Amino acid sequence: MTDGDNNDPPEDKGVERPKQAIEFKDPSWILEWLDTALEKEKEKYKESPVLTDMIPGHEAAQGWGYVVIGYFLVEEAFKALLHIREKEVPKEHALSILFGLLDQDDKLILCEYYDDYKATVEGELGQFPFVSIKDFLVNLDGDKNKRGSYIGSFDWRYFLIEEMQSGKMPLVSVDYLHEVTYGLTRIVEWIVYKRFHPSHHTHSWRLRWKRQEKYRDWNNVRVKSDQWSELEDRIEILWGPDYCGRYDLYVFHGKTGKSIFGKIPTDLDLPVLDKRREIEHVQRR
């Protein structure tokens, strides 16, 4: 059982690549190194998380390395996407400006990553105060200095020894920095290899992949039962709904079945069987 992906890759419009002052690596290596660096940062962050402290500065010092690298990861991922989209890449550190240079379709996908993560992540992360990715990035850029340059990333870079120059220190979530980087690299992967549409890699989809492991174990038991061959065509609800009204579904026609993550189809004249309680019972055993 597989999820269908009918999204066609973007067309090559044959736009002439602008002259670029920066010499970039081959796109396949760009993607490989961004993914490798992000994976390693996630591993380190998981193994040594930032602990709450009565002194905010102590918390900030704990997270300093993750935040500084997180800034760099997002900036480089933005510039990688701009380069691979054959746009001129500015020598610019302000993340909101880099975001503004993206194609509209890429902006929408990145907004989807941010919004979906905020809606599905557990605990305090779901209460992160910035409603949109644009608000988050503007916050990260901080104020401007006398030369007109945004200094939020520099305030964090030199936090350990220098007083900040912005009126207010940018509020950072390492988890959101990692999610934005992940979304950008999935768009890059889509452009470079024309596979795995990035909208099917959001946090909701990744949570679904984990649930599917349990469904497979459950199905392996079912298909060996005597009643399996006697079952009729049907739609089975396994999980849901989520904040978008999507369910984990199996749609069976004869002996073949299709796995769906979406709303319950209204155009299929099939009985709908609710298997959510049964799935929960299997998971508890």
Side-chain angles (χ1 to χ4, degrees):
M1 298 179 183
T2 59
D3 294 296
D5 188 348
N6 297 321
N7 296 284
D8 295 326
E11 296 180 0
D12 183 1
K13 299 180 180 179
V15 178
E16 185 177 352
R17 182 180 291 274
K19 292 183 179 180
Q20 185 67 61
I22 305 169
E23 185 175 350
F24 286 90
K25 298 180 184 294
D26 180 87
S28 61
W29 288 119
I30 288 175
L31 179 62
E32 181 68 24
W33 300 148
L34 282 173
D35 272 339
T36 300
L38 177 60
E39 181 181 359
K40 185 57 64 176
E41 282 303 300
K42 285 185 174 182
E43 288 178 4
K44 290 189 292 185
Y45 186 52
K46 181 179 179 181
E47 290 300 319
S48 183
V50 176
L51 303 178
T52 57
D53 193 276
M54 294 181 65
I55 303 176
H58 189 261
E59 283 191 41
Q62 290 180 67
W64 175 80
Y66 303 130
V67 171
V68 172
I69 296 302
Y71 263 104
F72 282 133
L73 279 171
V74 174
E75 179 186 341
E76 293 193 33
F78 268 128
K79 291 182 175 180
L81 178 53
L82 289 170
H83 168 67
I84 290 169
R85 283 294 193 199
E86 301 187 344
K87 296 177 178 290
E88 186 173 359
V89 181
K91 291 184 176 180
E92 174 65 61
H93 300 292
L95 302 179
S96 61
I97 291 178
L98 296 174
F99 176 76
L101 296 175
L102 299 181
D103 288 346
Q104 185 62 23
D105 287 347
D106 293 337
K107 288 181 184 177
L108 291 175
I109 291 174
L110 209 54
C111 287
E112 182 182 358
Y113 268 81
Y114 185 92
D115 296 346
D116 184 84
Y117 188 74
K118 195 174 191 313
T120 57
V121 74
E122 296 180 350
E124 293 183 0
L125 283 174
Q127 305 302 316
F128 198 53
F130 301 107
V131 175
S132 69
I133 186 173
K134 185 176 180 179
D135 294 338
F136 178 47
L137 297 177
V138 168
N139 149 74
L140 292 177
D141 288 338
D143 298 327
K144 290 183 178 180
N145 61 16
K146 294 179 180 179
R147 296 188 300 274
S149 299
Y150 289 98
I151 52 179
S153 63
F154 293 96
D155 277 340
W156 265 103
R157 197 181 306 179
Y158 299 105
F159 164 80
L160 301 180
I161 62 171
E162 294 182 8
E163 294 290 351
M164 66 182 185
Q165 298 180 51
S166 298
K168 185 178 180 181
M169 193 75 171
L171 178 60
V172 179
S173 163
V174 177
D175 300 87
Y176 279 85
L177 286 173
H178 288 171
E179 186 67 14
V180 172
T181 303
Y182 183 77
L184 285 163
T185 53
R186 299 289 63 79
I187 301 173
V188 169
E189 181 179 26
W190 170 247
I191 299 168
V192 173
Y193 294 114
K194 296 180 172 56
R195 67 186 186 196
F196 310 128
H197 194 276
S199 65
H200 281 194
H201 286 259
T202 61
H203 192 240
S204 283
W205 280 87
R206 289 167 359 237
L207 291 174
R208 167 178 161 75
W209 298 342
K210 292 181 180 179
R211 295 193 299 270
Q212 282 186 302
E213 296 175 3
K214 298 174 182 177
Y215 302 155
R216 282 192 288 269
D217 293 339
W218 175 60
N219 265 322
N220 286 337
V221 175
R222 291 205 299 169
V223 296
K224 296 174 183 177
S225 68
D226 295 336
Q227 292 80 20
W228 180 253
S229 60
E230 302 172 5
L231 296 174
E232 300 177 349
D233 295 352
R234 64 204 182 276
I235 298 173
E236 293 184 350
I237 302 175
L238 309 181
W239 177 90
D242 70 355
Y243 73 103
C244 289
R246 295 174 296 191
Y247 295 81
D248 288 342
L249 305 168
Y250 281 160
V251 178
F252 288 96
H253 291 281
K255 293 183 179 181
T256 62
K258 183 179 181 181
S259 175
I260 294 177
F261 180 46
K263 296 184 178 181
I264 300 174
T266 57
D267 58 338
L268 300 177
D269 187 19
L270 295 174
V272 178
L273 305 181
D274 191 339
K275 295 290 185 178
R276 286 174 290 189
R277 282 180 173 267
E278 190 173 332
I279 292 290
E280 290 175 2
H281 177 70
V282 170
Q283 291 175 356
R284 285 197 300 265
R285 290 194 307 182

